Amino acid sequence: MSLAGILSQITVQAPRPLPVLLLIDVSGSMAEDGKLAALNTALRDMVQAFGEERTGGAEIQVTVLTFGGREARVHLPLQPARDVRYEVMEAAGHTPLGSVLALATRILEDRTLIPGRAYRPTVILVSDGVPTDDWEEPLEALLGAPRASKALRLALAVGEDADLDVLTRFAGDGQVRQAHEARQLRRFFRFVTMSVTARSRSATPDQPVTLPDLGEDDGFDDLDA
């Protein structure tokens, strides 16, 4: 058999996508007290760490969806983390949570973006306020959609004014944490980074993760994801 014939019979198994969807509140209040600045730093570090991950059998892919002003938008399209060139988010306007939930559902249900062979996506919702649009119907649609409902969901409340009830309805009991300062926000995303990279190396990447506490003595530094 010729060399070309031998090579034609060799198939390389492409790594399975492991999508991470970030739903980020960029309403005007996020510009206060350095919240969005800290979030930009934490997300940039997380995406960089994902991009440097080379040992796993899964390919971490990332998209950033922002919601501020009148509606949600794709800030960074879904792509392999190694290809991401992080762009700083800016804050303005209201908190159109329903808009970003509907956008996330469309992406999760789109097999041209997330193929059937992908591992369970992780969806992370970050907000510091109360929704300003119709969010209940889009949330029910997400929770009832065939593929979106199976995603791993986490939520982070930033500051004291975040609507914890809404975030809990999105993520479920035990999957919401509250950051009162930038240090805790960075801890949250450090945990997300550790858990997603651990999943990418795991023999069972679809297994769910459990959030640690974010308090002073939560043992986070000792977390073994």
Side-chain angles (χ1 to χ4, degrees):
M1 181 180 294
S2 67
L3 177 60
I6 294 173
L7 291 176
S8 68
Q9 295 182 8
I10 298 176
T11 58
V12 178
Q13 185 66 40
R16 294 170 61 182
L18 199 168
V20 178
L21 281 70
L22 298 153
L23 283 52
I24 308 298
D25 182 347
V26 293
S27 60
S29 58
M30 286 293 290
E32 301 171 0
D33 303 322
K35 289 179 285 189
L36 192 60
L39 190 56
N40 271 311
T41 300
L43 291 187
R44 184 191 60 210
D45 292 347
M46 182 185 72
V47 172
Q48 181 177 349
F50 287 166
E52 293 171 351
E53 183 65 28
R54 292 288 188 275
T55 58
E59 179 183 68
I60 301 172
Q61 300 185 351
V62 178
T63 182
V64 178
L65 313 179
T66 57
F67 56 108
R70 294 183 177 274
E71 60 183 6
R73 61 180 290 268
V74 177
H75 181 72
L76 291 174
L78 185 66
Q79 59 193 299
R82 64 175 181 276
D83 295 336
V84 172
R85 297 294 179 266
Y86 187 78
E87 298 179 6
V88 172
M89 300 175 292
E90 298 182 353
H94 300 294
T95 311
L97 176 65
S99 179
V100 82
L101 294 175
L103 179 57
T105 302
R106 289 199 297 273
I107 292 173
L108 290 164
E109 295 296 312
D110 189 337
R111 289 182 179 274
T112 65
L113 294 175
I114 300 178
R117 64 189 293 271
Y119 291 112
R120 291 173 67 182
T122 297
V123 185
I124 302 161
L125 174 61
V126 179
S127 180
D128 76 332
V130 177
T132 55
D133 65 350
D134 177 14
W135 58 272
E136 295 197 60
E137 186 173 336
L139 177 58
E140 291 303 317
L142 185 151
L143 297 179
R147 306 179 78 207
S149 62
K150 297 175 182 175
L152 306 174
R153 298 186 303 277
L154 309 173
L156 177 66
V158 182
E160 300 291 342
D161 297 329
D163 193 324
L164 293 176
D165 289 338
V166 172
L167 296 179
T168 300
R169 286 182 61 176
F170 166 79
D173 292 333
Q175 297 298 81
V176 181
R177 288 294 180 270
Q178 191 165 20
H180 300 283
E181 55 188 80
R183 178 173 56 90
Q184 292 176 307
L185 192 151
R186 289 194 295 271
R187 281 185 178 184
F188 177 85
F189 279 100
R190 182 183 169 197
F191 164 75
V192 171
T193 302
M194 294 166 63
S195 63
V196 171
T197 54
R199 284 181 59 206
S200 74
R201 302 169 189 166
S202 171
T204 56
D206 281 339
Q207 290 297 311
V209 297
T210 301
L211 284 176
D213 290 333
L214 294 178
E216 190 70 30
D217 301 318
D218 62 358
F220 191 84
D221 290 339
D222 299 326
L223 179 68
D224 183 7

